[in-house]
């Protein structure tokens, strides 16, 4: 009797209910009982034929197996268990067994995949992961402008960027690009596609998408692919052993990448500016995309892809259309990835992580969607910060006007091109740390090469002798040891306990001499003075005004690594390109900004009143300190206190062109040489001389005046300053004749009414927090940029530029 039950149950599963299968010898009672049981089984089979997905919340009432791998695949029929990948994608128990059971035909394929996955990846190589990575069909969007429908490719088709880029509905992909039928686009889209954009659909996704053959793979060879959003099964994501630096540099070289483009941290690497962890979301990313906080894999996959695409070609705007065909992942989740990629791309564009620099876009190609365009902005100041912000805002599609007080753009960037064959910067010309520096990015966009500055810097004494390098190294060591003691001293000090840096250095120096009994020679004392003059150059001030507690406050943040370079073509090449196509009004000094009403009114010196929604002021710190612009309502006490807690540093420069290169034989190809001051009172007077022509064809030197020496030359005329400089040069090259220069200039930044400074520093009693306070916007109407608003990168063109990008992002988001 039990045999009959088993056989009947089996037939119920196969929908064969023939009474011929009952035992031939049975009593009438048994036959009736058997018939009743068979009827019950019929009911059971009817229910099982429409078995639902067991995943709680899954909307699929009649799942269909996408795999069709097993000979007895359930297809849309009954299976003992449905395996859920998404609300529209399931595979049956028979297909599971086909790959998972060692006696089945698909087992070898599964185990081969499992070996690759295990050797490269970190996540579990489960059967579900195998199905998602190897068996799900690809989905592709029709590229016909008036269609855009999503179509499922047949199982054997491998999606490539080329197919994704050119696909049209009905296109035959097997050795042919011909299209079936006349109007395949009229065919309805699969109903599952519409569900993908709903939030609940993503929450029901079992496995996050892992991209295949991502453009980011060469950048991330030292990571587990599945930790950075990539599939471990691709050859392009074969993880390389060893520490990251060698891996990174080798791969970037293979990719033909600019060596200064290193957008991703490598494992165990830190302290590199404008670098992201490819396996972790940043705080601002989590704030913008909180839905990825639990599992950031999809976000990381797309963000890493977008960054890699941008640095692969930064000369053209990166659009959603250019990204879509690089998203290669199986299943309906590709549709979701394409939708999310657009959101992520716009976020990264607004933040200035991509689509930045000197890019210029036409009105029909604005980088942000129309909802961002309904703003008007006035930017006060056409320096690096103002132009960076204006360029970004213009590219976003926001109406922007730049008002500049001077008769030129650039602010503290001002190049002199009157010297034969060489550009000499009256202001900035050196790039400090090129890795990920936006200046390096803009140079790449412009096709400009920078000259890497060498490290050799001979210190020449007055009298002409080159200082023994061992003396220089010894005094450099002592100088840095003094600064280390300053760092220890300040650890438990409040702002009220701050003292001038010069005073603290002198105190530590005297204590060291007394305690150690070491007596420095006269030359060693002079070399120490040279290093102090270098510190004054870095601070832009004599050390008696600089905070001992916060003089290097920005060093607590990641700084730009890599080469220091000379921008031989001058920063103005970059500045001019940033300004191209912008609405810039020269000779329009701003006198007042009234933000008391709904709109902001800006009044210029000629009496013109400009009305706008938002104002970005980028005027130098010195002008804010002197109330050059009247704000109504007035700035808060907190902001005014911050403005006055910083110092407006001044350095001046002198450049000289000679009839020939008299320094070559002594300097032997070095990019610069130092001047050992004869005493402490002259330590900032022409302390370093730069050779302005790396090709050694032109004969131009440039030097700087720093610290107290700035005051010394302030009331001298240019010829008197020249005379002092020539006296120094003739002392340094006393063994030979030094010719008179044929051309020269002396800068007067402190006397420029619209600038009055070089760069900021923290005064005694101040702190780095002042930079952040100055940068705070007022009521979402008045914004501030400039090097003195950039706590991380003050004092530099890079810092000014980045502050402009930062404020453009804030303005766009309001």
């Amino acid at each position: 009797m039990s045999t009959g039950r088993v056989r009947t149950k089996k037939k119920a599963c196969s929908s064969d209910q023939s009474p011929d299968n009952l035992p031939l010898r049975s009593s009438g009672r048994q036959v009736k009982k058997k018939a009743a049981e068979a009827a019950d089984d019929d009911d059971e089979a009817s229910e099982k034929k429409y078995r639902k997905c067991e995943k709680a919340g899954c909307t699929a009432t009649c799942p269909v197996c996408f795999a069709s791998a097993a000979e007895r695949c359930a297809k849309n029929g009954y299976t003992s268990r449905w395996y859920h990948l998404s609300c529209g994608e399931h595979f049956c128990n028979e297909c599971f067994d086909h790959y998972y059971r060692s006696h089945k035909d698909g087992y070898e394929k599964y185990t081969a995949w499992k070996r690759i996955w295990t050797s490269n990846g970190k996540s579990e190589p489960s059967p579900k992961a195998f199905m998602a990575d190897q068996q799900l069909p690809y989905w592709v969007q029709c590229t016909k402008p008036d269609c855009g429908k999503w179509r499922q490719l047949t199982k054997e088709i491998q999606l490539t960027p080329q197919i994704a880029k050119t696909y049209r509905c009905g296109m035959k992909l097997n050795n042919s690009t011909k299209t079936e039928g006349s109007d395949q686009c009229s065919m309805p889209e699969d109903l599952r596609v519409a569900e993908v954009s709903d939030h609940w659909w993503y929450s029901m996704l079992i496995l996050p998408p892992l991209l295949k053959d991502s453009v980011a793979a060469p950048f991330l060879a030292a990571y587990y692919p599945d930790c950075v959003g990539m599939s471990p099964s691709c050859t392009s994501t074969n993880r390389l052993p060893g520490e990251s630096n060698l891996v990174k540099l080798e791969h970037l070289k293979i990719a033909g990448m600019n060596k200064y483009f290193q957008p991703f941290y490598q494992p165990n690497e830190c302290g590199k500016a404008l670098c992201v962890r490819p396996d972790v979301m940043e705080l601002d990313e989590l704030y913008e995309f909180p839905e990825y906080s639990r599992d950031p894999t999809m976000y990381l996959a797309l963000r890493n892809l977008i960054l890699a695409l941008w640095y692969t070609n930064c000369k053209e705007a990166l659009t959603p259309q250019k990204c879509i065909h690089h998203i290669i992942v199986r299943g309906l989740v590709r549709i979701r990835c394409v939708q999310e990629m657009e959101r992520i791309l716009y976020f990264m564009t607004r933040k200035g992580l991509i689509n930045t620099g000197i890019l210029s876009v036409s009105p029909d190609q604005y980088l942000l969607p129309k909802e961002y365009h309904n703003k008007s902005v006035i930017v006060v100041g056409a320096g690096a910060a103002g132009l960076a912000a204006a360029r970004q805002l213009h590219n976003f599609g926001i109406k922007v006007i730049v008002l500049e007080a001077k008769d030129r753009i650039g602010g503290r960037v001002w190049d002199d091109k009157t010297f034969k064959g060489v550009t000499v910067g009256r202001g900035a010309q050196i790039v400090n740390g090129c890795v990920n520096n936006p200046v390096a990015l803009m140079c790449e966009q412009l096709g400009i090469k920078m000259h890497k500055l060498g490290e050799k810097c001979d210190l020449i004494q007055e009298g002409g002798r080159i200082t023994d390098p061992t003396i220089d190294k010894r005094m450099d060591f002592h100088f840095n040891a003094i600064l280390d003691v300053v760092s220890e001293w300040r650890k438990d000090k409040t702002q009220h306990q701050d003292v001038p840096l010069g005073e603290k250095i002198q105190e530590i120096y005297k204590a060291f001499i007394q305690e150690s009994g070491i007596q420095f020679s006269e030359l060693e004392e002079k070399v120490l003075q040279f290093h102090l003059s270098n510190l004054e150059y870095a601070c832009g001030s004599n050390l008696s005004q600089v905070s001992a507690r916060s003089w290097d406050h920005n060093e607590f943040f990641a700084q730009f690594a890599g080469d220091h370079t000379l921008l031989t073509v001058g920063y103005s090449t970059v500045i001019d390109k940033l300004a191209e196509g912008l609405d810039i009004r020269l000779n329009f000094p701003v006198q007042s900004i009234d933000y008391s009403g709904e709109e902001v009114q800006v009044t210029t010196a000629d009496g013109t009143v400009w009305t706008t929604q938002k104002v970005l002021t980028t005027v130098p710190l010195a002008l804010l300190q002197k109330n050059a612009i009247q704000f109504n309502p007035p700035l808060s006490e907190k902001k005014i206190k911050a403005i006055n807690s910083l110092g407006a540093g001044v350095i001046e420069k002198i450049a000289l062109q000679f009839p020939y290169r008299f320094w070559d034989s002594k300097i032997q190809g070095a990019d610069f040489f130092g001047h050992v001051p004869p005493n402490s009172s002259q330590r900032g007077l022409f302390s370093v001389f730069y050779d302005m022509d790396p090709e050694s064809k032109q004969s131009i030197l440039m030097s700087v005046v720093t610290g107290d020496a700035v005051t010394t030359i302030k009331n001298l005329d240019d010829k008197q300053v020249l005379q002092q400089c020539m006296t120094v040069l003739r002392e340094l090259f006393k063994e030979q004749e030094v010719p008179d220069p044929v051309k020269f200039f002396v800068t007067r930044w402190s006397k420029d009414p619209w600038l009055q400074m070089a760069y900021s520093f923290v005064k005694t009693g101040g702190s780095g927090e002042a930079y952040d306070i100055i940068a705070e916007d007022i009521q979402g109407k008045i914004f501030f940029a400039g090097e003195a608003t950039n706590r991380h990168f003050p004092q530099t063109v890079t810092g000014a530029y980045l502050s402009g990008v930062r404020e453009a992002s804030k303005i766009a988001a309001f």
Side-chain angles (χ1 to χ4, degrees), residues 542-696:
N542 67 49
L543 302 181
S544 63
Q545 295 186 57
V546 178
S547 164
R549 183 174 170 271
S550 300
W551 72 273
D552 61 345
H553 65 98
N554 59 308
E555 293 296 327
F556 293 100
F557 305 104
Q559 295 297 300
F560 291 104
D563 301 335
H564 297 294
T565 60
L566 180 71
L567 195 48
T568 48
V569 297
Y571 268 111
S572 60
T573 306
V574 172
I575 292 293
D576 290 345
K577 196 68 180 176
L578 273 177
E580 204 172 87
L582 299 178
D583 186 354
I584 301 171
R585 315 291 177 92
L586 300 178
N587 299 305
F588 273 96
V590 170
Q591 289 187 330
S592 67
I593 298 174
D594 187 332
Y595 60 99
S596 58
E598 200 167 302
E599 292 191 302
V600 184
Q601 292 191 322
V602 178
T603 306
T604 48
D606 65 344
T608 305
V609 178
W610 311 69
T611 302
T612 186
Q613 292 173 312
K614 301 182 189 301
V615 171
L616 170 62
T617 175
T618 69
V619 298
L621 175 73
L623 298 191
L624 289 176
Q625 289 175 336
K626 294 178 180 178
N627 299 315
I629 297 175
Q630 298 299 311
F631 290 89
N632 183 38
L635 299 180
S636 67
E637 283 187 27
K638 179 185 176 185
K639 193 178 282 283
I640 290 170
K641 184 181 178 183
I643 287 168
N644 291 318
S645 73
L646 299 182
V650 178
I651 65 163
E652 302 292 1
K653 297 172 82 170
I654 182 170
L656 314 97
Q657 184 162 6
F658 294 95
Y660 57 89
R661 297 171 60 86
F662 63 86
W663 58 89
D664 268 351
S665 58
K666 194 166 192 171
I667 303 309
Q668 297 181 340
D671 290 308
F672 39 79
F673 56 91
H675 160 214
V676 179
N679 52 61
S680 61
S681 65
Q682 291 182 269
R683 74 180 180 208
L685 209 51
F686 320 115
S687 56
V688 180
F689 286 86
Y690 293 84
D691 184 344
M692 297 306 292
D693 184 13
E695 295 182 5
S696 302

Side-chain angles (χ1 to χ4, degrees), residues 495-496 498-500 545-550 645 762-767:
Q495 279 178 248
H496 298 297
D498 199 5
V499 297
Q545 295 186 57
V546 178
S547 164
R549 183 174 170 271
S550 300
S645 73
V762 179
K763 290 197 292 195
T764 305
S767 81

Side-chain angles (χ1 to χ4, degrees), residues 400-411:
V400 58
I401 296 173
V402 182
L403 301 178
E404 169 55 52
K406 295 174 72 65
D407 60 358
R408 64 170 180 84
I409 63 169

Side-chain angles (χ1 to χ4, degrees), residues 287-308:
Y287 181 80
E288 189 83 9
F289 300 95
E291 63 270 31
Y292 291 112
S293 58
R294 183 169 292 178
D295 184 354
T297 308
M298 180 191 279
Y299 180 87
L300 295 173
L302 297 173
R303 178 252 266 161
N304 294 345
L305 171 67
I306 290 167
L307 264 183

Side-chain angles (χ1 to χ4, degrees), residues 247-444:
V247 170
K248 170 190 64 184
L249 292 174
E250 184 60 26
H251 266 261
L252 293 181
K253 187 177 177 183
I254 291 170
M257 195 69 56
N258 184 314
K259 67 177 180 177
Y260 298 136
F261 292 179
Q262 297 172 26
F264 301 106
Y265 276 121
Q266 298 302 306
N268 305 318
E269 193 180 28
C270 61
K272 208 159 66 173
L274 302 193
C275 224
V276 299
R277 287 273 307 272
D279 56 343
V280 175
M281 289 177 73
E282 305 279 324
L283 286 176
D284 56 346
E285 293 175 314
L286 285 166
Y287 181 80
E288 189 83 9
F289 300 95
E291 63 270 31
Y292 291 112
S293 58
R294 183 169 292 178
D295 184 354
T297 308
M298 180 191 279
Y299 180 87
L300 295 173
L302 297 173
R303 178 252 266 161
N304 294 345
L305 171 67
I306 290 167
L307 264 183
L309 284 169
W310 167 243
Y311 281 102
T312 302
N313 180 13
C314 63
K315 295 181 181 181
E316 295 177 2
L318 187 61
T319 62
Q321 293 71 31
K322 290 178 182 175
C323 296
I324 287 170
H325 56 270
H326 290 286
I327 299 173
I328 306 297
V329 64
R330 290 179 180 273
L332 286 164
V333 76
R334 181 168 185 267
I335 302 169
R336 182 75 176 208
C337 285
V338 168
Q339 294 168 348
E340 288 297 283
M341 178 276 302
E342 192 168 55
R343 285 179 65 212
I344 296 167
L345 182 83
Y346 289 146
F347 167 74
M348 294 174 73
T349 296
R350 178 166 59 79
K351 296 293 281 188
L353 298 170
I354 61 167
N355 288 333
T356 188
I358 54 92
L359 280 188
S360 183
V361 298
S362 57
D364 61 333
Q365 294 178 318
Y366 286 137
L367 300 176
L368 292 182
K370 287 181 180 177
E371 57 262 31
Y372 287 94
H373 299 177
N374 59 346
K375 296 184 183 78
S376 62
V377 181
I378 285 178
V379 174
V380 181
L387 292 175
R391 168 55 54 204
Q392 290 289 100
L393 292 168
H394 173 79
N395 286 355
F396 292 167
I398 295 169
K399 183 184 177 185
V400 58
I401 296 173
V402 182
L403 301 178
E404 169 55 52
K406 295 174 72 65
D407 60 358
R408 64 170 180 84
I409 63 169
R412 284 164 275 181
V413 168
W414 186 17
D415 291 338
D416 191 319
K417 298 183 186 255
T418 63
F419 287 80
K420 183 184 175 186
V422 172
T423 298
V424 182
R426 288 173 174 263
Q429 195 166 8
I430 290 172
V431 184
N432 294 305
C434 288
V435 172
N436 297 334
N437 195 311
V439 175
L441 174 86
M442 290 186 277
C443 286
E444 175 73 13

Side-chain angles (χ1 to χ4, degrees), residues 185-205:
C185 292
S186 62
M187 297 289 289
E189 192 175 57
D190 191 303
L191 293 175
R192 291 175 291 171
V193 172
E195 297 180 339
V196 172
S197 55
D198 289 338
H199 174 72
W200 62 263
W201 187 92
Y202 182 70
S203 68
M204 295 293 291
L205 192 66

